[in-house]
Amino acid sequence: MTRFSLAQTPIDTATLRAQLLDDRVGGYASFEGWVRNHNDGRNVLGLRYEAYAALAEAEGAKVLDEALQKFAILDVRCVHRIGDLAIGELAVWVGVSAAHRDAAFAACRYVIDEVKARVPIWKHERYAEGDAGWLHPEA
Amino acid sequence: MTRFSLAQTPIDTATLRAQLLDDRVGGYASFEGWVRNHNDGRNVLGLRYEAYAALAEAEGAKVLDEALQKFAILDVRCVHRIGDLAIGELAVWVGVSAAHRDAAFAACRYVIDEVKARVPIWKHERYAEGDAGWLHPEA
Amino acid sequence: MARVNVLYFASLRDAAGVASETVDVDGNLRALYTALRERHGFVLPVERLRVAVDGTFARWDDAVRDGSEIAFIPPVSGG
Amino acid sequence: MARVNVLYFASLRDAAGVASETVDVDGNLRALYTALRERHGFVLPVERLRVAVDGTFARWDDAVRDGSEIAFIPPVSGG
């Protein structure tokens, strides 16, 4: 079972969520990043995610292992889309199950923050004005 | 459109989530409370939620209005089950959409905390030992 | 003298044996609960409850209004 | 002299015009990036990148090993 995955095709969150069902779970927290129609004041038409797949999968798995160590959770999963995405499509999903909600929320937040900061995935945006570019945010 | 609802039947989270889709959404946070097979060290066989429906709906709507005021979110919904629930069933769902994840997480946490603290809903647990009882937690 | 309808939930309903009853009462909401607590043997003291009148939270010092619907709200446990 | 395969992603790939290339190199990973930055006109300074060797994050002071696969990781923007 792989806790972190890259997906070339749309993500089915209902199935992912169902994989975390367990009689011991009291709290389930999830986060989804969707493609917005704007970013930094510019109109976005669509975007593409590219990954260094081997390292992204290893680093993503490491983030989830850390979450399991740091927080009193039962399980955690994360899937990140790669390839071309339209406005409104799901880019990333995080799901966390725990006995109590404190740990579920904290771990969910940890995972999305660390994935965004560390996992080698890059976003390429196309703008309404016709130009496009890779996003390489300042740390 | 009612942002807070009581449900007599199982909650379809996929449909609820879809109602929050919007091209402006960048972050979607959700929380689900599921019926655990244990509570305070006791084995739970099943439970029942009862509400003072009119006041629960008014107070729940108030909590969601507060979340919309306090946080930079686009929308928020909450559904709470009433009636008999089995282990593993969904008791409460909260969904929040926002441009950015900070507000989505904060509002989601606010809503579940306030709903649990203020909305007149009561849990009746049946235990493996044969007894049962209403939960009236100390503040 | 006011005639009101009182609603009971959760452990209060179990103790009262009914979900609601009609009561004739003088005074404020605190006095009403005190009298009903004695009648039904409610375990919870007034300090651990909230009270609502006609579907809105109210104060214990509020006078009981004739024809109103009064609910005693034991500590909640949703979620 | 080590012969390595270098992988480029995102803006580095656009600037290099290729996704990977084989390079003969002496010295450490920092020197390799500095040379390739000059060759391809990469905008990003070494301080804004991370570097990976054979699928694992490495240090810029590590010597380049013959036959390894080296990836320069520009600031990431997933999520």
Side-chain angles (χ1 to χ4, degrees):
Chain A
M1 189 274 308
T2 310
R3 290 199 166 87
F4 181 90
S5 317
L6 298 173
Q8 303 262 7
T9 52
I11 299 168
D12 175 9
T13 59
T15 300
L16 291 165
R17 169 185 174 279
Q19 291 170 352
L20 293 172
L21 287 164
D22 180 309
D23 284 354
R24 299 167 300 163
V25 173
Y28 165 80
S30 75
F31 177 80
E32 302 182 11
W34 295 346
V35 180
R36 279 182 300 160
N37 60 5
H38 63 281
N39 192 20
D40 275 332
R42 301 200 63 186
N43 288 323
V44 176
L45 298 181
L47 56 74
R48 183 155 53 93
Y49 282 106
E50 174 182 293
Y52 177 15
L55 186 57
E57 286 165 356
E59 192 70 1
K62 201 166 159 224
V63 167
L64 300 190
D65 284 345
E66 290 166 10
L68 283 164
Q69 294 292 320
K70 284 177 194 287
F71 306 100
I73 60 177
L74 292 165
D75 207 349
V76 54
R77 305 285 171 92
C78 178
V79 181
H80 201 296
R81 267 297 297 281
I82 52 176
D84 292 309
L85 280 78
I87 304 301
E89 273 202 83
L90 180 58
V92 59
W93 171 88
V94 180
V96 182
S97 59
H100 299 285
R101 69 187 186 286
D102 275 341
F105 272 109
C108 191
R109 185 63 200 255
Y110 179 81
V111 168
I112 188 62
D113 286 355
E114 294 296 309
V115 165
K116 287 174 76 90
R118 292 161 49 183
V119 175
I121 299 172
W122 298 275
K123 177 157 60 174
H124 185 265
E125 288 184 338
R126 285 184 299 105
Y127 302 104
E129 290 79 4
D131 57 332
W134 291 100
L135 278 74
H136 292 314
E138 304 275 346
Chain B
M1 188 273 308
T2 309
R3 290 200 165 87
F4 181 90
S5 316
L6 298 172
Q8 302 262 8
T9 53
I11 299 169
D12 174 9
T13 58
T15 299
L16 290 165
R17 168 184 174 278
Q19 290 170 352
L20 293 172
L21 285 162
D22 180 309
D23 285 355
R24 297 167 301 163
V25 173
Y28 165 80
S30 75
F31 177 80
E32 301 180 13
W34 295 347
V35 180
R36 278 181 301 161
N37 61 5
H38 63 281
N39 192 20
D40 275 331
R42 300 200 64 186
N43 288 325
V44 176
L45 297 182
L47 56 75
R48 183 153 53 93
Y49 282 107
E50 172 181 294
Y52 178 14
L55 186 56
E57 286 166 356
E59 191 70 1
K62 201 165 159 227
V63 167
L64 301 189
D65 284 346
E66 291 166 7
L68 283 164
Q69 295 291 322
K70 285 178 192 287
F71 305 101
I73 60 178
L74 291 164
D75 209 348
V76 54
R77 307 283 172 91
C78 178
V79 181
H80 200 297
R81 268 297 296 281
I82 52 177
D84 291 310
L85 279 77
I87 303 302
E89 271 203 85
L90 180 58
V92 59
W93 171 88
V94 180
V96 181
S97 59
H100 299 284
R101 70 187 185 285
D102 275 340
F105 272 109
C108 191
R109 184 63 200 254
Y110 179 82
V111 168
I112 188 63
D113 287 354
E114 295 296 309
V115 165
K116 286 173 77 88
R118 292 162 48 184
V119 174
I121 299 172
W122 299 274
K123 177 158 59 176
H124 185 264
E125 287 185 339
R126 284 185 299 108
Y127 303 105
E129 290 80 4
D131 57 332
W134 291 100
L135 279 74
H136 292 313
E138 304 275 345
Chain C
M1 181 69 71
R3 172 161 293 190
V4 298
N5 189 37
V6 178
L7 307 182
Y8 299 118
F9 297 99
S11 66
L12 296 188
R13 191 191 51 237
D14 286 359
V18 293
S20 68
E21 64 181 338
T22 301
V23 180
D24 293 320
V25 60
D26 269 326
N28 63 19
L29 294 165
R30 180 178 289 106
L32 173 61
Y33 181 73
T34 303
L36 293 170
R37 186 184 180 195
E38 188 154 332
R39 182 190 302 178
H40 296 299
F42 297 146
V43 174
L44 292 165
V46 68
E47 295 75 27
R48 294 200 54 209
L49 303 185
R50 300 180 75 186
V51 61
V53 176
D54 294 335
T56 304
F57 285 113
R59 284 164 305 202
W60 289 108
D61 293 334
D62 292 348
V64 175
R65 293 194 313 272
D66 188 56
S68 59
E69 181 177 80
I70 295 168
F72 298 115
I73 314 287
V76 303
S77 49
Chain D
M1 182 70 72
R3 171 161 292 191
V4 297
N5 189 38
V6 178
L7 308 180
Y8 298 119
F9 296 98
S11 65
L12 296 187
R13 192 192 51 235
D14 286 359
V18 294
S20 69
E21 64 182 337
T22 301
V23 180
D24 293 319
V25 61
D26 269 328
N28 64 19
L29 294 165
R30 181 179 287 106
L32 172 61
Y33 181 73
T34 303
L36 293 170
R37 186 185 180 195
E38 187 155 333
R39 183 191 299 178
H40 295 301
F42 296 146
V43 173
L44 292 165
V46 68
E47 295 75 27
R48 296 202 52 211
L49 303 184
R50 300 182 74 185
V51 61
V53 176
D54 294 334
T56 304
F57 285 113
R59 284 163 306 204
W60 290 106
D61 293 335
D62 292 347
V64 175
R65 293 194 314 271
D66 188 56
S68 59
E69 181 177 78
I70 295 167
F72 299 115
I73 314 288
V76 303
S77 49

